[in-house]
Amino acid sequence: MKLQQLKDQLNTIYLGKSDVIDLCLTALIAEGHILLEDAPGTGKTMLAKALANSFDSAFSRIQFTADLLPSDVIGSDFFNMKTQEFENKRGPLFANVVLIDEINRAVPRTQSALLEAMEERQVSIGGTTYQMPAPFFVIATQNPIESAGTFPLPDAQLDRFMVAIEVGYPNLEHERQLLNEVLANVRKQAISIATGGDLITWQEEARRVHASQDVLDYLLSIVRTTRHHALVEVGVSPRGAIALLRASQSYAFLNGRDFIIPEDIKYLAKHVLSHRLTLTLEGGIKTTKADLLLHLLDDIPVPVEMG
């Protein structure tokens, strides 16, 4: 099966992070975008490139910098002196797989150029709307906001990402294997295994995964609890609830099931919902978004039976 071959390839390239790979594939099959977070040098860009190169689709990489303009991303209209007419030059965002490296090094004005494309799969340039190709997904990497030269992503931009994943450092065994591969010059490169058509088929199949009413009620209890917690200023929106449902369908499909179990939702909630929270000033001092959400999950009963 192509999907299993794709997973196996990514696991041989990005060592010891099968959970991160599963989360990335979950987002792609759920038609969502991915935000990879952690310190520089932890392999975020390598993972994103390997994931993109695993599909036989149009690929584009955009290095975000402080001097990047919105037109450098989405394109612009220009006047053709030969034809005496305005023409449109599309930017690098028009691709099936778009890698945005160090997204938080661009100013908010440039970051906002992504909003329409990521949510509505279209871009407006000079009063004309252009549809994005299908499939279309964004994989962005982000350095810690404490790093020099970074600009925090606004809530509206964070909300466009289905999952936010902290990749973390490899363990000793896998880091030793990495160094040995570097010495032997045998680092593997991703090859195309699946097509855009395969991804669209997986997306359609994942949307047919069943969710019982008990599962939906459990999902809603998590989402609605975030809106009333004393340390949360802005809780998860209905868009966040839909994202968690779609991700849960995708994760079940990835694991060979045609139904969601409560454990799918509990596992995914941290990665799908944490970055959508806005903590109060007191909350930001006392805890982190991820830790707060994990604490909430511990207090919400998990349904045993699905009706």
Side-chain angles (χ1 to χ4, degrees):
M1 184 180 179
K2 286 186 179 181
L3 185 54
Q4 186 59 51
Q5 292 175 339
L6 196 152
K7 288 175 62 176
D8 292 342
Q9 171 173 262
L10 293 172
N11 277 301
T12 63
I13 295 173
Y14 198 62
L15 303 173
K17 296 292 181 180
S18 59
D19 55 336
V20 173
I21 291 169
D22 282 353
L23 287 169
C24 288
L25 292 175
T26 294
L28 297 189
I29 296 172
E31 301 180 60
H33 308 291
I34 302 165
L35 180 62
L36 300 175
E37 304 176 292
D38 221 308
T42 51
K44 302 185 298 296
T45 301
M46 181 185 69
L47 171 60
K49 288 179 65 177
L51 189 60
N53 291 335
S54 295
F55 290 91
D56 183 17
S57 301
F59 169 67
S60 179
R61 172 177 174 170
I62 311 174
Q63 182 67 49
F64 268 29
T65 56
D67 60 349
L68 195 72
L69 299 175
S71 59
D72 296 328
V73 178
I74 64 175
S76 61
D77 290 334
F78 70 98
F79 187 73
N80 189 321
M81 297 296 291
K82 291 183 178 180
T83 63
Q84 294 294 299
E85 293 180 350
F86 280 97
E87 297 181 6
N88 176 259
K89 181 180 180 182
R90 297 189 179 187
L93 190 61
F94 285 87
N96 298 113
V97 184
V98 182
L99 166 58
I100 298 178
D101 210 9
E102 298 184 302
I103 186 173
N104 57 337
R105 290 202 178 279
V107 296
R109 179 187 177 194
T110 302
Q111 293 175 12
S112 66
L114 302 171
L115 295 177
E116 183 180 10
M118 292 178 66
E119 178 62 22
E120 302 175 50
R121 265 63 175 182
Q122 65 181 35
V123 166
S124 299
I125 305 173
T128 303
T129 299
Y130 302 90
Q131 297 298 318
M132 307 304 295
F136 170 75
F137 58 89
V138 171
I139 310 171
T141 68
Q142 174 175 236
N143 292 329
I145 52 178
E146 297 82 8
S147 302
T150 60
F151 300 86
L153 296 183
D155 292 343
Q157 180 64 70
L158 284 171
D159 201 38
R160 296 308 199 268
F161 290 100
M162 175 168 282
V163 295
I165 309 169
E166 293 185 7
V167 297
Y169 293 107
N171 62 27
L172 176 60
E173 176 187 352
H174 290 110
E175 195 160 16
R176 181 185 293 116
Q177 182 179 345
L178 170 63
L179 294 181
N180 284 324
E181 289 182 355
V182 170
L183 287 174
N185 196 28
V186 294
R187 292 293 293 159
K188 294 184 178 179
Q189 300 294 325
I191 60 173
S192 175
I193 290 178
T195 65
D198 292 325
L199 179 57
I200 291 175
T201 298
W202 298 337
Q203 291 171 344
E204 292 172 348
E205 292 178 359
R207 280 181 173 267
R208 293 194 288 268
V209 169
H210 175 68
S212 72
Q213 196 58 54
D214 287 344
V215 162
L216 292 179
D217 288 343
Y218 176 57
L219 186 154
L220 287 173
S221 66
I222 296 171
V223 169
R224 296 179 69 84
T225 299
T226 67
R227 302 172 187 170
H228 306 291
H229 195 281
L231 300 181
V232 177
E233 183 174 339
V234 180
V236 177
S237 68
R239 176 161 47 192
I242 294 172
L244 183 54
L245 173 60
R246 291 300 187 202
S248 299
Q249 288 179 302
S250 176
Y251 189 71
F253 171 77
L254 195 63
N255 285 277
R257 286 183 276 105
D258 61 359
F259 58 91
I260 300 173
I261 58 176
E263 286 72 16
D264 296 334
I265 293 172
K266 187 172 184 178
Y267 172 67
L268 291 170
K270 171 188 173 183
H271 307 286
V272 178
L273 303 183
S274 294
H275 61 287
R276 303 174 194 271
L277 298 176
T278 301
L279 301 183
T280 63
L281 181 60
E282 180 185 3
I285 296 173
K286 289 185 174 181
T287 187
T288 65
K289 296 178 182 180
D291 287 343
L292 175 65
L293 192 58
L294 291 176
H295 177 73
L296 293 179
L297 289 170
D298 288 339
D299 293 338
I300 298 175
V302 178
V304 177
E305 298 180 359
M306 296 180 289

